[in-house]
Amino acid sequence: IRYYEAYRKTGGYRAVEKALKMTPDELVEEVKKSGLRGRGGAGFPAGMKWSFIAKPEGVPRHLVVNADESEPGTFKDRYLMEFIPHILIEGMIVSSFALGSNNSYIYIRGEYAWIVDILEQAIQEARNNGWLGKNILGSGFDCDIHVQRGAGAYICGEETALIESLEGKRGNPRIKPPFPAIKGLWGCPTVVNNVETLACLPYIMQHGGAQYASIGTEKSSGTKLISLDSFFNSPGIYEVDMGTPLRFVIEELGKGFK
């Protein structure tokens, strides 16, 4: 499957073109304006999380994607990576630029073995077309993405345990503080974001933070992917505005339980 051509036809990578003409601080402000909250469960404002990252001179910074989707019945990150891998890659390039991260990592659940191949292929496509590697679009910004498989430990969904595992150690949570934004992967400032969070960035960059903030509710903007499993009469992945009543999701979209 050639994912790249299909993604480009729908406006893919325009967000990167736009982002690289802005400053990292302007990018962070745009994400703050969008009101985007982390889609991994905690719901922490993404722009605020980015603004916490320490910027000591001469120390690399890292973006880590939490793709360790181990919650029972959840498969929305899997869907994005399996069918629209470039939306994650584009979101990663945008956020890597905002954070000043030249090496970014996808920590993926070990059971998603076949998706690793899909991601590796999509990363290579992005590299071949000049979206990854050295001096992207002549901007002076270098960025590469690496995929790391987990070993099936549920605790590695927690960001500090994920970082420990990524470093090759046993996946035990770290005591905080220090928080990853100060001392994360290999002791360097690190931001950990969920797959779905980063997949929102191409839209935010193309249409502006204010437009994204107009969707959903005042306190939680945008849309949310909902996984309805085989216990529903109409299972699948549904995208709904934040603030959509659960009754609507269960009865109208899922057509009730079997």
Side-chain angles (χ1 to χ4, degrees), residues 114-147:
W114 78 99
I115 299 178
V116 174
D117 298 335
I118 292 170
L119 288 173
E120 294 282 13
Q121 183 193 326
I123 288 165
Q124 194 55 52
E125 285 176 337
R127 202 177 282 126
N128 293 345
N129 287 281
W131 302 107
L132 286 172
K134 301 276 183 203
N135 192 20
I136 299 168
L137 301 187
S139 64
F141 175 60
D142 305 341
C143 182
D144 229 322
I145 294 173
H146 312 273
V147 183

Side-chain angles (χ1 to χ4, degrees), residues 44-90:
F44 194 82
M48 198 183 291
K49 191 175 192 177
W50 291 5
S51 67
F52 291 157
I53 196 166
K55 296 176 180 175
E57 199 61 44
V59 177
R61 283 163 246 153
H62 299 297
L63 168 71
V64 175
V65 179
N66 185 344
D68 189 66
E69 188 174 45
S70 350
E71 287 289 351
T74 309
F75 47 93
K76 43 102 180 169
D77 291 345
R78 183 184 94 188
Y79 177 86
L80 290 170
M81 293 186 288
E82 189 170 3
F83 298 109
I84 333 170
H86 283 284
I87 202 168
L88 171 61
I89 293 166
E90 184 170 24

Side-chain angles (χ1 to χ4, degrees), residues 81-219:
M81 293 186 288
E82 189 170 3
F83 298 109
I84 333 170
H86 283 284
I87 202 168
L88 171 61
I89 293 166
E90 184 170 24
M92 286 181 74
I93 298 166
V94 169
S95 50
S96 295
F97 181 63
L99 297 166
S101 166
N102 303 116
N103 277 297
S104 301
Y105 301 85
I106 301 172
Y107 183 92
I108 187 166
R109 181 181 173 187
E111 290 87 340
Y112 286 172
W114 78 99
I115 299 178
V116 174
D117 298 335
I118 292 170
L119 288 173
E120 294 282 13
Q121 183 193 326
I123 288 165
Q124 194 55 52
E125 285 176 337
R127 202 177 282 126
N128 293 345
N129 287 281
W131 302 107
L132 286 172
K134 301 276 183 203
N135 192 20
I136 299 168
L137 301 187
S139 64
F141 175 60
D142 305 341
C143 182
D144 229 322
I145 294 173
H146 312 273
V147 183
Q148 175 66 41
R149 276 179 67 178
Y154 178 76
I155 190 60
C156 289
E158 193 277 329
E159 62 178 14
T160 61
L162 187 155
I163 289 169
E164 286 280 293
S165 178
L166 198 50
E167 290 179 354
K169 299 192 283 252
R170 184 174 177 174
N172 283 341
R174 293 178 181 176
I175 292 166
K176 296 186 269 195
F179 288 90
I182 310 295
K183 193 177 177 191
L185 188 62
W186 297 303
C188 301
T190 304
V191 164
V192 182
N193 275 141
N194 176 260
V195 171
E196 189 187 350
T197 313
L198 295 171
C200 296
L201 293 173
Y203 182 91
I204 291 168
M205 289 314 304
Q206 283 195 52
H207 302 278
Q211 160 66 22
Y212 190 82
S214 71
I215 307 165
T217 69
E218 194 183 336
K219 290 187 177 174

